Amino acid sequence: LNMRPSGDNAGLSIHLRPDEDGQRAIVEWRGVKINNGDDPFHSFAGSEGLRMSLAAKIIEAHGGEANYDADTLRAQLPISRP
């Protein structure tokens, strides 16, 4: 699944795919602009930093990972099968 937002976020694209083993779902937000270049998932600067840090904690509590690399936010979550 690939999506391209419009308007102010026209350079942002969202990608959803399974990992190589099919055990995790990977969601990537590419083209993200972080003002100071800090990892937004582990920064407490401002209200956005608090929300992103909380999101990372929730993702990690469900066995996933959240990280930031260059201009990409990435969340990986285990795929639960019935």
Side-chain angles (χ1 to χ4, degrees):
L1 171 67
N2 296 320
M3 297 173 49
R4 282 215 178 269
S6 60
D8 291 344
N9 295 315
L12 179 68
S13 63
I14 303 166
H15 305 264
L16 173 63
R17 62 183 170 84
D19 70 357
E20 300 81 29
D21 299 330
Q23 300 298 310
R24 296 180 140 221
I26 300 172
V27 182
E28 293 180 328
W29 294 264
R30 298 177 188 165
V32 176
K33 296 176 185 158
I34 304 297
N35 291 339
N36 57 6
D38 290 340
D39 180 346
F41 285 118
H42 300 96
S43 170
F44 293 108
S47 61
E48 288 179 7
L50 289 173
R51 286 192 297 268
M52 294 298 290
S53 182
L54 178 59
K57 296 291 182 199
I58 293 169
I59 291 166
E60 291 165 3
H62 286 87
E65 296 176 24
N67 54 54
Y68 172 72
D69 180 34
D71 67 346
T72 302
L73 294 175
R74 185 174 299 107
Q76 299 181 39
L77 289 164
I79 295 174
S80 174
R81 302 195 193 282

